[in-house]
Each structure stands twice: as C-alpha cells, then as structure tokens.
Amino acid sequence: MAVAVGRGFLVQPCSYSSSPIFHNKLYKPSLGSATTFWSTFAPQRYPQVAVQAQQRPTWLPGLDPPPYLDGTLAGDYGFDPLGLGEDPKSLKWYVQAELVHARFAMAGVAGILFTDLLRVTGISNLPVWYEAGAVKFEFASTRTLIVVQFLLMGFAETKRYMDFINPGSQAKEGSFFGLEAALEGLEPGYPGGPLLNPLGLAKDIKNAHEWKLKEIKNGRLAMIAMLGIFVQAYVTHAGPIDNLVEHLSNPWQKTIIQTLANSTS
C-alpha cells in the first residue's frame, strides 16, 4: 500500500496480458493515436491526499515512547529513560509511589510557604521550616511525637499497601473502624468519599482522567519546587519568602547567579 502525502503521481502497474509492448510485435502508435498511447503508459494524476497522523504528546518531541507506556496512564508522556516500568507489576507500584510523593510534595510546599509567610510578616512567631523539627513543644515530648507519628503513618501506609495488593479490600465492612462508607475505596490511590473527596470532583474515578492529569501535573511541579526549596535553604540558610523578599529588593543584583557565586567564594 502506497500513501502519498501532498500532490503527486502514482503509476499504475500493468499486467503481462494487457500491456501492448509484450505482444508479438511492438506497438507503434501513429500520430493520431498519441492520446491513446499516453493515456495507457503515462502516470495518472490523482487528487491530493492529506494524511495526518495523530501523535500523542511526549516529553521530548519526536520521541517514540516505550511500548509499555501507551498513554493510558494519567500524565504518561513516555518518560522512562531507565526502563523502570518494563515490568507491569513494577509499573503499577511506581505509579502509586509517584502519586503519594506528589501529594506529600504539594502538602509540603503549601505548608512551607504558608508558615514562612506568617513568620516573615510577623503574624506568628514560627521557626523557619528547616528548624521546625528541633522545636520543643510543651504538650508532648519529641519522643512521644515520633512514636505517635510512626503509629499513625504506619497504619495509613499499611492500609494503602493492603489496598494496592487487593483493591477494594479496605472498603469492606469492619476494615476501617466503620468509616468504610466514607472512603468508598474507588480504586488504589483514589479512596475518595466525603473524607478525601469532600467536593465530589471525581465521583466517577474511572472517567476522571482530566482530574488525575491535573493532580499528577501539579504534584510533579511540587516535587521540583520542593527540591528547589531544599537547595535554596542549603545555599542561603533562609526560607523561600525571605529569599523572595531579598530578590525583589534588588532584582538585578540579587539573583540565583549572584547567590551561587557568593556561596562558592
């Protein structure tokens, strides 16, 4: 099958029996039969054929994505340079791992910016975010807080892992202190319900591809922002709002280039 893009010519094949040049004598057209000769042998002009391939967006334009990344996953742009998702079981786990890290990053960035804004404006006497862990609280000791955090996070992560291994098992009656109806257990990674989806934005999680895409895009951006906040704190020993205020005070002299140059000198 030949496909021509644009305006071109297509030569029709001639069979042995129908072609006059393969008869006993060579066909010699007369002047009057020139039209017949050219209509037989000349290439026939066909209408313009426009072929438009519907290509899926990839992280690098023109790149052929791996076959196991077929675009069905939310936020799938064919990015897997190390081939970590070749195994289907590993791919399912990496999808859940990215989703959890994305949500933690979004919560972390929002918490850091909000508390840093309260601290810089003087509304609240809060420590800078990277020193918050060293603060001693009056209502509980550091050891108590660590134990409580391990218990709560361990319980939540165990339930999440059990739902990943056996989807829907954690929505059964009696599996979550009577709160199963509030979680609904829509699918692994998306428990839903009035507790975790109070606005009801994605009640039909099977057809909520757009909401999944928005979440993973914002989550990936938050992970990059979190990495930037880490590096920023290490280099400048200040919070993100402090760095922003310093930059706005002298935009041409207080930039990332000057900051990195001064930190290495």
Side-chain angles (χ1 to χ4, degrees), residues 36-120:
T36 305
F37 175 80
W38 285 110
S39 63
T40 304
F41 291 97
Q44 300 179 12
R45 184 183 299 269
Y46 281 78
Q48 180 177 353
V49 179
V51 179
Q52 182 177 1
Q54 186 176 2
Q55 297 180 350
R56 49 173 289 203
T58 57
W59 67 279
L60 187 63
L63 178 72
D64 292 330
Y68 52 87
L69 296 179
D70 54 3
T72 57
L73 296 173
D76 176 14
Y77 295 99
F79 181 80
D80 188 16
L82 301 180
L84 300 177
E86 292 182 359
D87 182 18
K89 294 183 178 179
S90 299
L91 180 60
K92 291 182 179 179
W93 178 255
Y94 286 133
V95 168
Q96 295 300 314
E98 182 188 32
L99 186 60
V100 172
H101 281 80
R103 289 169 177 171
F104 271 115
M106 287 188 285
V109 170
I112 289 174
L113 294 178
F114 180 71
T115 55
D116 214 41
L117 185 62
L118 295 179
R119 181 184 59 84
V120 172

Side-chain angles (χ1 to χ4, degrees), residues 13 27 55 59 62 70 136 150-151 176 190 244:
Y27 177 72
Q55 297 180 350
W59 67 279
D70 54 3
K136 302 295 183 181
F150 267 103
L151 291 175
F176 204 81
Y190 301 93
L244 178 61

